Amino acid sequence: MIGTVSRAAQVLQAADRFIILTHRRPDGDTTGSAGALCLALRKAGKTAYVARNAGVTKRYAGLIEPYAPPEGYQPQCVVSVDCADIDMIPPEMQQYAAQVDLVIDHHRSNPGFGRENLVMGQRAACAEIVCAVIEEMGIALDRDIAEGIYVGASTDTGCFKFSNTTSNTHLVAAKCLEAGVDGGEINRALFETKSRARYEIERMLFSSMEFYHEGKIAVALITLEARQRTGADWDDLDAIAGIPRQIEGVEVGLTLTELENGDTKVSVRTTKEVDASAICTQVGGGGHLRAAGATLHCGAEETIQRLLEATERVYRGEA
Amino acid sequence: MIGTVSRAAQVLQAADRFIILTHRRPDGDTTGSAGALCLALRKAGKTAYVARNAGVTKRYAGLIEPYAPPEGYQPQCVVSVDCADIDMIPPEMQQYAAQVDLVIDHHRSNPGFGRENLVMGQRAACAEIVCAVIEEMGIALDRDIAEGIYVGASTDTGCFKFSNTTSNTHLVAAKCLEAGVDGGEINRALFETKSRARYEIERMLFSSMEFYHEGKIAVALITLEARQRTGADWDDLDAIAGIPRQIEGVEVGLTLTELENGDTKVSVRTTKEVDASAICTQVGGGGHLRAAGATLHCGAEETIQRLLEATERVYRGEA
């Protein structure tokens, strides 16, 4: 941790006229954290807005767009939430990025690019940290504040399913439900609703899936034609690479996406038996132990061949 | 609520030589609750076993089978967990069912069939109540006890996703993680792993799905041939009826399953716009507002026709 919750609360108490920054390709945690913090600051009698984020999708727009600043707004204090580095701040916010007064984040890799920094790498979601800061300021969670915090905590943990979920995540969720958040309705929208494009892509993924190495390797292909026909955007493809690995017995899921320029993007997801990064580094990519990726300058067929060979080498202990 | 947590704790403190009963077609809540209670009672120096349940599936067997009683075991105190009624106790446990000394349950409909009854209808999972009783007895949660409680709480709430999840559910989950439970690993096994049979059925479901009424009605068919070919059991078909409704714009999901005798079972899932039971009562079935079902004595084709007509009548306000 750099900085303390109480120091962050002091910084916020001392200022007025806030602008809150979110990151590129905004997700539920950055938008939920920003919306919650904005509402809490307003509840404390301050002026606060959330900077417009050009990349916000329909799913999360409602959390920040109502708090867009008026033309010519001049903030006194710039706060970023969930931004791992200065580069993660989108170009349309550059006017504010020159000096970030307070960084609130949960990415361990955050260099502390603000004047003040509250970075807690052990938290699953930035929203958990925002919740602690709000409470430290003596501001009671109401339903609207809690909704942003809940969305942040639930989306960054796969609805409390992933291993990054801690007891603190659950304690924060408990407080949000106490404050009146309708978790069931939010989760249905976030986790149980598939766009038609997503459905079409999944249908294709399911029907195209092939198995190798006694069912331990599953290969799925998302063709460029299918993406164009369905109009699927990157939101629709979110977390789709996790699907092949869900099948019993599958240790390596290879999900290929044909790109517009003829390249093929591959996302590798593995169970604990196999090192995903060891597969991807062989073809010029990289990543983590169980999730890695690469982009190959060739078509799908050649990509499959090369990935299967790379995977077999890992199985043989040669890579 | 009938009874209190402290009264239930007293009953348990006063006895020794326990047998714990689970319900028919046992799920994560009944098995998790039973395993946790058994371990807690043992930790308190008592003798405790969980009665053998013939219907337990591979998924949950590890929570209760290690605690099966020895031949000829004579209990002094019979406790049921998560059993909504005496009829829910499987035949192989009839020797114990004549007098249940303590009923611990969360089904509002529970008539209180025990000598003593702790029924808390506001709890999402029976495991939450078991947790409260264990704590009331002054027994500290350890990792093994907490694992059963966590499985119960997470499975009965769709991993904290459904609207039955309360702040108490999250508080219990927080305690379980504090006690050392590996929630990520448990959830991967419970929620992120599809059997090959399940995968084949889903693949078929996806490719067969048809849409009616401007995309508001989705119809999916699971053929007898597919069930037989894949070897899918009812565990593999668990919650599959929820899939069509997940698609954006779908208000009514009709999932048909061909039965061995030529009948067709239909499961109807709706969003809040449409009354599922109003559809099913027209064809001799019934159920709840958003989840209902029926079995029709005809083939799939005729079933689809009749269900579509019934649904249209609900849309027109005629049923």
Side-chain angles (χ1 to χ4, degrees), chain A residues 198-261:
Chain A
R198 169 73 178 212
Y199 158 73
E200 293 291 346
I201 292 287
E202 282 194 19
R203 188 208 288 250
M204 181 181 162
L205 200 90
F206 271 68
S207 65
S208 75
M209 212 178 298
E210 297 199 355
F211 298 90
Y212 300 88
H213 200 95
E214 297 162 345
K216 289 182 178 167
I217 307 173
V219 179
L221 173 64
I222 301 165
T223 62
L224 180 59
E225 186 276 325
R227 283 204 292 130
Q228 288 171 338
R229 177 169 46 79
T230 59
D233 60 17
W234 291 105
D235 233 23
D236 295 317
L237 300 179
D238 184 40
I240 207 153
I243 290 181
R245 188 186 50 182
Q246 287 178 0
I247 299 166
E248 194 181 28
V250 171
E251 297 176 352
V252 180
L254 305 173
T255 305
L256 282 68
T257 311
E258 289 183 345
L259 301 181
E260 282 76 356
N261 65 356

Side-chain angles (χ1 to χ4, degrees), chain B residues 195-249:
Chain B
S195 66
R196 272 302 279 271
R198 169 74 177 209
Y199 158 72
E200 293 292 346
I201 293 287
E202 282 194 21
R203 187 208 293 247
M204 179 181 168
L205 200 93
F206 271 70
S207 66
S208 75
M209 212 178 297
E210 296 200 355
F211 298 90
Y212 301 88
H213 199 97
E214 296 163 343
K216 288 181 180 167
I217 306 173
V219 179
L221 173 64
I222 300 166
T223 62
L224 181 59
E225 185 275 323
R227 282 204 293 129
Q228 289 171 338
R229 179 169 44 79
T230 60
D233 61 17
W234 291 105
D235 232 26
D236 294 318
L237 300 178
D238 184 42
I240 206 153
I243 291 181
R245 188 186 52 184
Q246 288 178 359
I247 299 165
E248 194 180 31

Side-chain angles (χ1 to χ4, degrees), chain A residues 23-92:
Chain A
H23 64 66
R24 285 168 198 267
R25 290 187 58 181
D27 58 10
D29 194 21
T30 196
T31 55
S33 293
L37 183 59
C38 180
L39 285 169
L41 291 169
R42 288 182 181 190
K43 199 171 175 184
K46 298 171 184 296
T47 303
Y49 295 100
V50 180
R52 278 186 192 78
N53 189 318
V56 76
T57 53
K58 199 174 60 175
R59 180 175 289 181
Y60 301 120
L63 291 165
I64 60 169
E65 290 196 333
Y67 318 120
E71 199 74 38
Y73 176 66
Q74 291 296 333
Q76 178 197 357
C77 184
V78 178
V79 183
S80 74
V81 286
D82 199 38
C83 301
D85 203 341
I86 189 86
D87 297 342
M88 287 300 291
I89 295 175
E92 65 270 24

